[in-house]
């Protein structure tokens, strides 16, 4: 029997991520123990169904169906919250933090929606709240922002933060499949959220963008203050047009701070990204994040953004940090300095846009569209007419010169009202990120 100090770990939620953590700690326990000088004990796991068959072997005596009992068990020092959701997960997290425990989470929705309360509970009761797995899966982006890049102010951070959407867009481009078919595969591979709209409508990316914004700038931006658009309206016509024009379509989170006004703008939308950009070539379940710091310049991080093993890698990195802190007396990790930076107004968010419209194939349509765009002072840079699936209709793809969010939204609203425009106009943003 070794005389190393014992650290007891409890895992709430033994699904894709929880089983990954259990598997890798069990496999590599000797390595972690010799590195840390402590015995890691996977003390218990809370599950919904005690009798369910799992890919990891867990003794029955270690299973409970009561996550709150696990979180408040005095023997457990480190609680991993890997259930998801924002109600029970929040209660369990707060209960553990109020007892001075360290909580490790992969739950970006919870960090985004209740971060300030959870951080305060950790501070107040001498515990810690770690969440490396919550953004970009296995990429240590939280560690990079919090520690490696601490010397910098961040003018721009942009990235692919959702593995499911990147997997879907990649397969749509390569194989011409439609998104619902690929989404089923992403689910089977353990990439997708239990509630699929979180992935495909952009909310999961928005949660992650909010966390990155707080780490980079010390300001919490709620998702309702962001432009958030998903990938469900993207068609093969968009993907093929992008490909022919030297772009890839990527669901991007963009976090920018204006150097003069300090205003912060956060948006999540599918964008046309030039192929010359590294992130345009980040495919499948991989995530990529480009971080421009005023001292370091641009740095880029790429890795698997979802899936059992990549996510377990991030959770275990937090567990190891937590144990190191426990053993050497709970020294605090650097936290961002809080700032209430103003949020940018839509007219201050500028860019170029791509618009796809299905229109009646009749004389005078182009003139009507031009009248609408010029009324909002949006100037057209290119126009491409393609046959539409509907008879008597044409598909128009136009790109604009530099405009702004307010003007383009008013253009889209006015175009929608034209009787010659059929269905919903579809808008994409064209990324530049040049300066
Ligand atoms: N799957 C992935 O690639 C990634 C997931 N995450 C996050 O990790 C968390 C877990 O995700 P997954 O493992 O994919 O989900 P999952 O659905 O596979 O696993 C969640 C597990 O928690 C259990 N659970 C839920 N409510 C419970 C309760 N009341 N009592 C006991 N157990 C309960 C469920 O039965 C399920 O087994 C979520 O917050 C997710 O957003 C983060 C990064 C990547
Ligand atoms: N559903 C998420 C899981 C990781 O955060 C994703 O696909 O990125
Ligand atoms: Na991460």
């Amino acid at each position: 029997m070794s005389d190393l100090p014992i650290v007891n770990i409890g895992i709430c939620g033994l699904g894709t991520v929880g089983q990954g953590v259990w598997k890798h700690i069990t496999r590599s326990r000797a390595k972690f123990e010799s590195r840390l000088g402590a015995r890691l004990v996977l003390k218990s796991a809370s599950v919904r169904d005690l009798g369910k068959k799992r890919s990891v072997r867990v003794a029955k005596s270690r299973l409970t169906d009561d996550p709150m009992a696990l979180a408040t068990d005095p023997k457990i020092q480190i609680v991993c919250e890997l259930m998801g959701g924002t109600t029970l997960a929040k209660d369990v997290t707060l209960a553990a933090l109020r007892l001075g425990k360290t909580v490790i989470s992969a739950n970006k929705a919870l960090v985004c929606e209740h971060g300030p309360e959870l951080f305060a509970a950790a501070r107040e009761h001498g515990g810690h709240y770690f969440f490396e797995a919550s953004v970009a899966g296995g990429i240590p982006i939280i560690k990079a922002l919090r520690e490696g890049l601490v010397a910098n102010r961040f003018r721009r951070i942009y990235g692919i933060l959702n593995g499911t959407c990147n997997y879907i867009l990649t397969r749509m481009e390569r194989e011409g499949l439609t998104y619902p078919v690929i989404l089923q595969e992403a689910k089977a591979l353990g990439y997708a959220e239990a509630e699929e709209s979180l992935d495909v409508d952009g909310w999961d990316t928005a949660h992650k963008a909010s966390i990155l914004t707080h780490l980079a700038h010390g300001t919490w931006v709620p998702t309702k203050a962001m432009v958030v658009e998903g990938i469900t309206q993207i068609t093969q016509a968009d993907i093929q047009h992008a490909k022919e024009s030297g772009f890839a379509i990527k669901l991007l989170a963009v976090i920018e701070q204006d150097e003069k006004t300090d205003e912060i703008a956060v948006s999540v939308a599918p964008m046309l990204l030039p192929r010359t950009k590294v992130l345009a070539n980040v495919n499948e379940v991989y995530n990529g994040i480009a971080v421009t710091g005023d001292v370091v310049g641009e740095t880029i991080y790429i890795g698997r953004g979802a899936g059992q093993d990549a996510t377990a890698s991030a959770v275990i990195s937090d567990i190891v940090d937590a144990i190191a802190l426990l053993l050497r007396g709970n020294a605090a990790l650097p936290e961002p300095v809080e700032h209430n930076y103003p949020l940018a107004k839509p007219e201050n968010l500028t860019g170029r846009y791509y618009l796809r419209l299905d229109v009646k194939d009749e004389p005078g349509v182009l003139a009507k569209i031009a009248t609408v765009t010029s009324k909002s002072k949006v100037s057209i840079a290119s126009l491409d007419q393609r046959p539409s699936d509907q008879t008597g209709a044409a598909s128009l793809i136009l790109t604009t010169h530099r405009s702004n969010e307010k003007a383009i939204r008013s253009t889209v609203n006015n175009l929608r009202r034209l009787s010659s425009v059929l269905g919903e106009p579809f808008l994409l943003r064209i990324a530049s990120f040049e300066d």
Side-chain angles (χ1 to χ4, degrees):
M1 203 57 183
S2 93
D3 55 3
L4 293 176
I6 291 175
V7 179
N8 287 315
I9 301 163
I11 298 189
C12 290
L14 216 44
T16 302
V17 181
Q19 290 183 64
V21 172
W22 197 282
K23 172 177 78 180
H24 288 289
I25 290 191
T26 308
R27 260 189 208 166
S28 308
R29 190 190 308 276
K31 178 180 80 185
F32 298 130
E33 292 190 345
S34 75
R35 220 169 142 155
L36 286 162
R39 270 188 65 207
L40 270 66
V41 178
L42 290 168
K43 184 87 180 141
S44 66
S46 80
V47 295
R48 250 203 294 238
D49 177 357
L50 290 166
K52 189 172 170 181
K53 231 177 132 27
R54 297 187 169 80
S55 65
V56 288
R57 279 187 50 207
V58 182
K60 271 214 167 93
S61 59
R62 294 189 188 258
L63 289 179
T64 168
D65 57 5
D66 184 352
M68 193 53 98
L70 182 153
T72 54
D73 179 342
K75 292 206 189 78
I76 290 178
Q77 294 131 296
I78 297 175
V79 176
C80 300
E81 187 280 287
L82 306 174
M83 296 186 294
T86 53
T87 48
L88 181 64
K90 181 185 174 204
D91 295 344
V92 161
T93 302
L94 275 177
L97 290 174
R98 285 179 182 145
L99 290 168
K101 297 176 194 286
T102 290
V103 177
I104 290 161
S105 177
N107 190 337
K108 46 273 162 145
L110 185 65
V111 181
C112 168
E113 287 172 27
H114 301 287
E117 189 180 350
L118 300 172
F119 294 172
R123 257 195 315 274
E124 209 174 303
H125 298 276
H128 299 282
Y129 188 49
F130 293 155
F131 44 93
E132 181 59 76
S134 70
V135 184
I139 304 176
I141 187 64
I142 297 203
K143 225 178 192 5
L145 284 175
R146 183 143 53 188
E147 300 174 33
L149 298 176
V150 74
N152 294 268
R153 280 194 71 170
F154 303 100
R155 200 159 55 78
R156 179 185 299 124
I157 298 174
Y158 73 96
I160 300 164
L161 302 180
N162 185 275
T164 301
C165 289
N166 208 37
Y167 182 76
I168 292 173
L169 291 172
T170 304
R171 304 260 330 260
M172 279 178 80
E173 186 190 291
R174 286 188 187 156
E175 293 158 58
L177 299 170
T178 60
Y179 105 82
V181 174
I182 313 167
L183 178 59
Q184 292 316 311
E185 288 187 34
K187 282 187 179 173
L189 289 163
Y191 302 158
E193 296 302 307
E195 194 187 326
E196 66 188 46
S197 146
L198 288 172
D199 289 311
V200 297
D201 292 329
W203 299 108
D204 178 76
T205 302
H207 292 145
K208 292 165 174 167
S210 175
I211 297 170
L212 291 185
T213 307
H214 183 253
L215 285 164
H217 300 290
T219 298
W220 282 106
V221 180
T223 55
K224 61 175 186 294
M226 303 175 189
V227 168
V228 180
E229 289 170 16
I231 63 162
T232 59
Q233 304 305 312
I234 295 170
T235 63
Q236 279 301 328
D238 302 317
I239 288 182
Q240 291 318 317
H241 186 274
K243 207 169 171 181
E244 288 158 20
S245 321
F247 293 92
I249 300 182
K250 295 291 180 192
L251 181 67
L252 293 183
V254 184
I255 304 161
E256 290 178 303
Q257 183 170 40
D258 187 287
E259 273 168 355
K260 295 193 190 87
T261 63
D262 280 345
E263 275 181 352
I264 294 194
V266 185
S267 60
V268 171
M271 297 182 81
L272 291 158
L273 190 61
R275 289 263 173 210
T276 49
K277 294 285 176 194
V278 173
L279 296 200
N281 303 291
V282 170
N283 289 315
E284 298 182 27
V285 74
Y286 282 79
N287 284 188
I289 306 154
V291 181
T292 304
D294 59 345
V295 182
V296 70
E298 188 173 50
T299 59
I300 297 183
Y301 309 83
I302 297 171
R304 285 179 190 272
Q308 182 170 75
D309 294 334
T311 313
S313 165
V315 173
I316 293 171
S317 129
D318 280 346
I319 293 176
V320 168
D321 276 355
I323 295 175
L325 285 178
L326 272 174
L327 297 179
R328 64 175 149 88
N330 268 344
L333 282 178
E335 278 197 29
V337 179
E338 300 290 328
H339 288 289
N340 264 325
Y341 286 125
L343 303 187
K345 296 192 177 60
E347 52 271 36
N348 293 345
L349 302 178
T350 65
R352 293 184 54 219
Y353 299 86
Y354 161 110
L355 258 176
R356 168 170 48 79
L357 306 167
D358 275 337
V359 296
K360 288 183 190 158
D361 199 3
E362 60 190 18
V365 174
L366 291 181
K368 285 182 200 156
I369 292 170
T371 308
V372 166
T373 54
S374 68
K375 204 171 147 201
S376 304
K377 300 201 170 49
V378 170
S379 138
I380 295 173
S382 72
L383 181 69
D384 182 17
Q385 179 167 341
R386 294 176 175 223
S388 160
D389 296 343
Q390 302 176 54
T391 39
S395 192
L396 288 184
I397 291 178
L398 50 96
T399 63
T400 74
H401 288 294
R402 203 158 189 87
S403 180
N404 64 65
E405 277 296 310
K406 193 175 175 189
I408 199 75
R409 284 190 214 176
S410 122
T411 302
V412 169
N413 278 335
N414 292 332
L415 286 173
R416 192 182 279 131
R417 287 196 201 110
L418 289 182
S419 59
S420 345
V421 171
L422 308 166
E424 270 298 292
F426 178 62
L427 178 72
L428 283 171
R429 286 145 188 91
I430 304 176
S432 64
F433 306 140
E434 286 313 334
D435 45 348

